[in-house]
Amino acid sequence: VNEPELWIVDTISGPGTTEELRQAWIKIWRAHPKVAESVRAEIEIAAHEIAANIVEHAGADQPVHMRMEVAVLPDEIQVRFIDDGRELKGSLDSVCLPDGMAERGRGLAVARAVLRNLSYQRMEDGNQWTLLSERFSG
Amino acid sequence: MKGFPAMEIRAEVRPSGVTEVFVEGALDMAVAPALRDELQSLVKGGAVNLVINIAKVETIDSTALGALISGLKAARKSGGDLRITSPRERVSSLLKLTNLDQVLKIVDNGEFP
């Protein structure tokens, strides 16, 4: 069985993190041109929101070690984020969109809404997020 | 154009008095504070009716949406309003998904006020 190709971004979070991830997605889509734009948009939006959450909350605006692993499978995209930051406050199950005039607090709700599944696990020395895109026919 | 990492922003006052703010690039947490400050500063300077032209915005995230909400609140507090024009598919999808299309109203260019 062939292992799926794994795209990895291993970085220390900072002001350039989101741009670094964006560049990685450009390379990934270049290698997988058949993935539909709607799937690309959704997984990228979700991954971006999780990365932002790691930078802002897990790191509390201090640098954290962050690793994004992306596997493009024939019918879905799997993304895993690992960081060595602080534990997520509250439960992912209770995440919902805030009031329309709220200026914060939408990130995780957005990620959940566009994914087939989003899970979070606190590890011994950090956090792990797993993102699964909607299924598609490659 | 004023330069921020991965974002460009400039404002033009239309004959109607509305200020059209042209934003380009990727709007995310790296540039959201600058976007928020720029909108606040425009409102403070008397530009209370704002149309944010995002035709050249490739992506937007929840922190940048928060910056736009902040601008909307500042404009309304000063007796004006803030609208969005020309969003790309990715951006309008996110506005719908977050129900913010009900708050950050999308107008055709020239429709506002």
Side-chain angles (χ1 to χ4, degrees):
Chain A
V1 178
N2 289 331
E3 287 290 322
E5 182 185 19
L6 208 55
W7 296 81
I8 296 170
V9 176
D10 205 291
T11 190
I12 302 294
S13 68
T17 301
T18 50
E19 185 57 30
E20 197 175 350
L21 297 186
R22 208 170 359 260
Q23 293 306 318
W25 286 110
I26 290 171
K27 284 183 195 157
I28 292 167
W29 303 138
R30 207 172 280 151
H32 297 277
K34 287 184 180 169
V35 177
E37 164 59 21
S38 59
V39 177
R40 294 178 186 201
E42 288 175 357
I43 195 77
E44 236 185 280
I45 285 169
H48 189 92
E49 295 292 353
I50 297 303
N53 189 279
I54 292 169
V55 171
E56 199 172 352
H57 299 295
D61 291 325
Q62 295 298 310
V64 290
H65 180 204
M66 179 199 295
R67 181 180 167 97
M68 178 177 81
E69 299 173 352
V70 180
V72 182
L73 304 180
D75 61 350
E76 70 175 9
I77 297 166
Q78 299 175 353
V79 182
R80 187 160 68 139
F81 279 97
I82 299 162
D83 71 76
D84 62 358
R86 298 193 307 189
E87 186 172 6
L88 175 72
K89 282 183 189 159
S91 160
L92 200 51
D93 293 334
S94 61
V95 164
C96 59
L97 280 174
D99 170 76
M101 294 303 272
E103 293 176 36
R104 304 172 60 83
R106 289 187 180 82
L108 293 179
V110 166
R112 266 184 68 174
V114 297
L115 294 170
R116 182 160 54 84
N117 189 263
L118 171 66
S119 61
Y120 167 81
Q121 202 178 352
R122 177 65 188 175
M123 314 296 279
E124 195 178 325
D125 51 0
N127 306 296
Q128 179 173 296
W129 297 85
T130 308
L131 295 67
L132 297 180
S133 74
E134 293 296 338
R135 288 200 188 281
F136 55 89
S137 51
Chain B
M1 283 274 179
K2 198 165 177 178
F4 296 107
M7 177 181 80
E8 294 282 337
I9 186 164
R10 76 182 156 87
E12 261 179 32
V13 182
R14 291 179 182 166
S16 65
V18 167
T19 300
E20 185 162 5
V21 182
F22 296 85
V23 188
E24 291 184 25
L27 299 191
D28 62 22
M29 66 181 303
V31 299
L35 177 61
R36 179 180 283 109
D37 290 350
E38 190 67 15
L39 295 178
Q40 296 285 343
S41 153
L42 282 165
V43 172
K44 214 176 218 175
V48 297
N49 284 309
L50 299 166
V51 172
I52 316 297
N53 187 319
I54 50 174
K56 293 185 177 172
V57 168
E58 301 139 28
T59 58
I60 192 165
D61 77 356
S62 60
T63 57
L65 289 173
L68 292 175
I69 299 280
S70 160
L72 171 75
K73 291 203 281 201
R76 287 193 179 161
K77 202 172 167 188
S78 300
D81 213 339
L82 178 148
R83 304 285 166 92
I84 304 289
T85 193
S86 313
R88 291 188 187 184
E89 179 60 32
R90 274 193 186 199
V91 177
S92 53
S93 299
L94 193 59
L95 287 170
K96 281 190 193 115
L97 181 79
T98 51
N99 299 323
L100 287 181
D101 55 339
Q102 304 299 313
V103 179
L104 295 164
K105 299 274 188 195
I106 299 169
V107 291
D108 284 339
N109 219 341
E111 221 180 46
F112 174 70

